[in-house]
Amino acid sequence: MEIIYNNVSYTHNAKTVLKTNVFENLNMKIEAGLITAIVGKSGTGKTTLLEMLNALIIPSTGSIKVGKWTINKKTSIKDINELRKNIGLVFETPEIQFFNITVKDELLFAMKCFNYQLDKSEKRIKQVLLMVGLDESYLNRDPYTLSNGEKRKIALASILTYNPKIIALDEPTVGLDEVSKKNLIKILNLLKNKYHKTIIVVSQDVDFLHNFVDYVHVINDKKVILSGNKYEVFTNVNLLNEAGINVPKVIDFSYQVLQKKQIKLGYRDQINDLIKDVYRCAR
Amino acid sequence: MKYIIEINNLRAGYHNKIILDNFSLKIKENSWTTITGPIGSGKSTLLKVLIGLHPYEGSVIINNYNLKEDIKKIRAISGVVFEHSDESFVAETVLDEMAFVLENMNLTKSEIKKRVFEVAKQLNIEKLLDKNPYLLSNGEKQYVALAAILVMKPKILFLDEALTKINNCDRESILKILRQYQKGNNMTIVNVTHDMEESLYGDELILINKGKIILSGPKELVYKEENVFNKLGIDLPFIVKLCHKLKYYQLVDDIILDKDKLVDIIWK
């Protein structure tokens, strides 16, 4: 499902002294069936963009087109409810989206809300647990007592239950160790390749993102300042630095070699490939 | 070498589960020690004990004070920054937040003002002073939480996954500023984190697993034990991983943590 942000402006605390313009005429397109990253430093409104997608925040002016729906001030509640069945939003802090005292109830919650395949609910919740790499032993556990990584998996599983076409994750790697990050990449690739989901990841963890994303939007100063595939974006060192975003460490090293020694290494996702390049060039 | 923290035969845990048993550790004064380990290794329990928030058996001496008997004296010379710093904010402006602890220390108004502006300048957050701390970004909140502790000029600073929630750029700039501040003010830092990139800014590195110290020493030496980290699923800092691979291809002889130097050596 394609998403188009069309001239979106948003003012936070509009009628108070704390009035802040978050976006001014922001335009952005998110292609269906791809993994798209939205990066930007703290406070640039990345989370607001995700919340707008689910109509939790309505743009002050402009609109967002999600498939056949348009989100603006005129959108009816009925349309918003229909739209939300197609979007799974996982918040930065997974606990804030938990309501129930067992994982099983948590997973059933959205299915009940959206009246989605309730007759097959038992089968469905087991299926989604497997999709995120957990087993049935979690069903009777209290979601609040799980580890950070497990909570994130349950939060993701709880939105997968109603099979949304769009999955949006806000800072999914915060607090995760490297093993959990690698598992998350596997899950997201599976959701894209096997289940053809449109996936949006808001994150500042560029070393995580550049391993698997297809397309990247960089947000700074109330608008999108750079868009492109990961090769185009993550090699634009100057613009990323200007936007306060780190360059992935593998690319940063290649850039430093080029600057100091005038030797150009290839674009590498993995450290092993980078080393092979170094070996070839140094010997 | 003077040790500011000495732990002997520590035993601590939850309900019937013992997390740390027969645990001993010494931390050098004015050093920056990074404590890391997999989830459930006991690193957070250890920090909770050190800041007096967790019961324990055994001996914990901090700056020559016994933690069980002189906790108030220890708290007067130490500060903690947690992962969720905003939970501890009490004031409506950053300036008041930074001044809060000093007012409780009965300092004069002019001294409070002097210390607040001094630390704000060192941390480069002068522009935030009149803002509401609750409305700042995560990175800015951590700067403020840190500043609100540094104004009291602590001898020991404990960081409990304090930089986990913020982006890499903010994290690196906080770590750089903190390193500079630590050197200039003779402060001891104990940083509990699962993010090994943070260990690059420290002196000593301690790896804990299942309540036991697995590796400990100057970071450069600990980094050499790549297999131990791999077995525990802990990712070494990028530059260390790079050096291990380059060593394998005989392009470097040792672990070089300075990126410029590493580039020079490879292409010499």
Side-chain angles (χ1 to χ4, degrees):
Chain A
M1 196 179 269
E2 190 182 69
I3 303 159
I4 299 168
Y5 288 75
N6 194 7
N7 280 323
V8 169
S9 298
Y10 181 67
T11 307
H12 191 54
N13 287 322
K15 289 172 184 169
T16 73
V17 286
L18 298 169
K19 182 177 167 182
T20 318
N21 288 335
V22 186
F23 304 116
E24 282 170 5
N25 297 321
L26 176 139
N27 291 293
M28 180 167 78
K29 186 176 171 186
I30 291 166
E31 300 274 354
L34 295 183
I35 302 181
T36 302
I38 301 176
V39 299
K41 61 184 177 190
S42 297
T44 44
K46 303 183 299 298
T47 300
T48 307
L49 283 177
L50 282 198
E51 288 174 345
M52 281 181 179
L53 192 62
N54 212 2
L56 291 170
I57 289 176
I58 305 288
S60 305
T61 59
S63 63
I64 301 154
K65 201 164 182 309
V66 184
K68 63 178 184 180
W69 292 277
T70 302
I71 306 167
N72 57 27
K73 283 186 171 170
K74 291 174 190 162
T75 313
S76 69
I77 293 291
K78 196 180 157 209
D79 277 350
I80 287 176
N81 286 339
E82 278 305 307
L83 161 81
R84 284 179 180 163
K85 290 179 186 173
N86 293 282
I87 295 167
L89 181 55
V90 182
F91 290 94
E92 181 176 346
T93 316
E95 289 97 326
I96 64 169
Q97 69 188 75
F98 292 157
F99 291 90
N100 298 284
I101 54 167
T102 65
V103 167
K104 186 179 178 182
D105 290 344
E106 193 55 53
L107 296 179
L108 286 171
F109 183 81
M111 293 181 80
K112 286 178 186 165
C113 283
F114 293 139
N115 200 14
Y116 179 82
Q117 293 189 358
L118 282 174
D119 52 329
K120 295 176 193 159
S121 61
E122 291 286 328
K123 194 180 160 198
R124 181 72 189 152
I125 57 174
K126 285 173 191 166
Q127 196 185 359
V128 295
L129 274 178
L130 280 178
M131 280 162 85
V132 298
L134 297 177
D135 58 38
E136 290 174 39
S137 67
Y138 282 85
L139 285 174
N140 291 320
R141 291 185 64 181
D142 179 349
Y144 294 95
T145 61
L146 300 175
S147 74
N148 192 14
E150 289 166 335
K151 277 179 190 164
R152 286 192 179 278
K153 285 181 181 174
I154 295 298
L156 179 58
S158 71
I159 61 117
L160 291 176
T161 53
Y162 57 93
N163 200 18
K165 292 188 176 69
I166 297 167
I167 293 165
L169 303 118
D170 192 2
E171 298 287 1
T173 60
V174 168
L176 288 192
D177 58 21
E178 286 307 311
V179 178
S180 306
K181 282 185 193 179
K182 281 172 191 158
N183 284 339
L184 181 62
I185 292 174
K186 274 188 201 162
I187 295 168
L188 295 180
N189 276 330
L190 178 81
L191 289 171
K192 180 185 102 169
N193 297 329
K194 191 172 173 191
Y195 298 97
H196 311 293
K197 306 286 182 197
T198 302
I199 299 170
I200 306 160
V201 185
V202 157
S203 178
Q204 297 159 352
D205 189 347
V206 289
D207 290 303
F208 162 73
L209 292 174
H210 92 111
N211 280 308
F212 68 100
V213 297
D214 302 305
Y215 208 79
V216 186
H217 295 289
V218 183
I219 311 283
N220 192 35
D221 199 18
K222 305 178 183 96
K223 51 187 173 291
V224 178
I225 57 159
L226 180 63
S227 295
N229 64 40
K230 63 176 179 179
Y231 306 103
E232 291 161 351
V233 172
F234 288 139
T235 49
N236 200 330
V237 179
N238 293 337
L239 205 57
L240 286 176
N241 285 342
E242 248 176 62
I245 307 289
N246 274 5
V247 178
K249 291 192 179 70
V250 176
I251 294 161
D252 182 49
F253 180 79
S254 304
Y255 185 69
Q256 199 147 352
V257 171
L258 177 65
Q259 274 204 323
K260 283 193 80 177
K261 300 289 172 188
Q262 305 300 311
I263 298 166
K264 192 170 185 181
L265 301 172
Y267 182 100
R268 297 298 174 197
D269 294 342
Q270 302 297 328
I271 200 166
N272 282 341
D273 299 332
L274 174 76
I275 297 288
K276 282 178 199 158
D277 261 7
V278 171
Y279 190 74
R280 261 196 300 271
C281 297
R283 289 294 154 113
Chain B
M1 178 61 65
K2 198 185 165 200
Y3 294 102
I4 197 161
I5 298 174
E6 292 182 60
I7 303 168
N8 275 307
N9 298 324
L10 175 73
R11 187 179 160 91
Y14 302 87
H15 307 295
N16 294 324
K17 196 178 176 193
I18 298 298
I19 306 287
L20 299 164
D21 194 18
N22 200 14
F23 186 93
S24 299
L25 170 69
K26 285 179 179 176
I27 290 178
K28 290 174 194 161
E29 189 169 24
N30 302 334
S31 69
W32 178 323
T33 303
T34 309
I35 300 177
T36 193
I39 293 167
S41 58
K43 57 186 191 299
S44 296
T45 308
L46 175 63
L47 192 95
K48 279 184 195 160
V49 168
L50 290 175
I51 59 177
L53 291 180
H54 197 87
Y56 68 94
E57 288 168 24
S59 158
V60 179
I61 308 292
I62 299 178
N63 198 35
N64 295 325
Y65 299 125
N66 187 321
L67 181 63
K68 277 188 179 151
E69 290 156 14
D70 296 314
I71 190 156
K72 282 189 180 169
K73 287 180 186 160
I74 293 172
R75 285 195 174 143
I77 54 129
S78 62
V80 196
V81 181
F82 294 102
E83 182 181 348
H84 303 283
S85 58
D86 45 352
E87 287 170 5
S88 56
F89 289 157
V90 291
E92 285 183 13
T93 66
V94 170
L95 195 144
D96 290 345
E97 184 62 43
M98 288 172 70
F100 178 75
V101 68
L102 301 179
E103 283 161 7
N104 288 323
M105 287 165 70
N106 290 328
L107 295 181
T108 62
K109 277 192 175 170
S110 62
E111 175 65 14
I112 291 175
K113 200 175 164 188
K114 190 180 151 223
R115 284 209 199 177
V116 167
F117 281 91
E118 204 176 270
V119 171
K121 193 176 173 193
Q122 279 168 323
L123 266 60
N124 200 17
I125 55 166
E126 291 144 301
K127 61 182 189 305
L128 302 181
L129 284 174
D130 59 347
K131 294 203 171 165
N132 184 331
Y134 295 97
L135 300 177
L136 300 175
S137 69
N138 284 336
E140 289 169 333
K141 278 178 186 169
Q142 291 310 107
Y143 266 107
V144 174
L146 192 60
I149 297 293
L150 293 182
V151 284
M152 54 182 275
K153 298 189 176 168
K155 277 190 84 162
I156 310 170
L157 174 68
F158 295 105
L159 302 172
D160 182 11
E161 300 279 4
L163 308 173
T164 301
K165 281 196 79 179
I166 57 180
N167 66 58
N168 293 342
C169 270
D170 282 341
R171 183 168 50 212
E172 278 176 20
S173 69
I174 289 182
L175 286 164
K176 272 181 201 156
I177 289 173
L178 200 52
R179 185 62 165 169
Q180 224 173 353
Y181 184 93
Q182 183 227 359
K183 295 270 177 201
N185 292 273
N186 293 330
M187 187 169 68
T188 306
I189 295 180
V190 179
N191 182 20
V192 169
T193 179
H194 69 267
D195 187 343
M196 287 294 289
E197 291 291 334
E198 289 178 27
S199 67
L200 288 170
Y201 294 83
D203 307 303
E204 304 279 318
L205 176 58
I206 296 170
L207 173 66
I208 297 180
N209 188 38
K210 293 180 182 166
K212 303 267 178 240
I213 295 178
I214 306 292
L215 296 169
S216 147
K219 64 175 187 244
E220 294 83 356
L221 291 180
V222 175
Y223 287 151
K224 287 182 194 282
E225 307 295 329
E226 191 189 18
N227 290 340
V228 179
F229 285 95
N230 287 346
K231 267 187 199 160
L232 294 175
I234 296 177
D235 224 22
L236 282 164
F238 172 79
I239 194 148
V240 178
K241 280 193 290 185
L242 193 64
C243 286
H244 277 298
K245 306 257 181 197
L246 291 167
K247 263 177 84 179
Y248 177 80
Y249 284 98
Q250 296 172 343
L251 289 164
V252 295
D253 302 327
D254 206 354
I255 290 169
I256 298 142
L257 300 178
D258 184 316
K259 242 190 303 178
D260 289 344
K261 209 170 146 192
L262 179 63
V263 172
D264 282 341
I265 289 174
I266 297 171
W267 307 99
K268 203 152 49 180

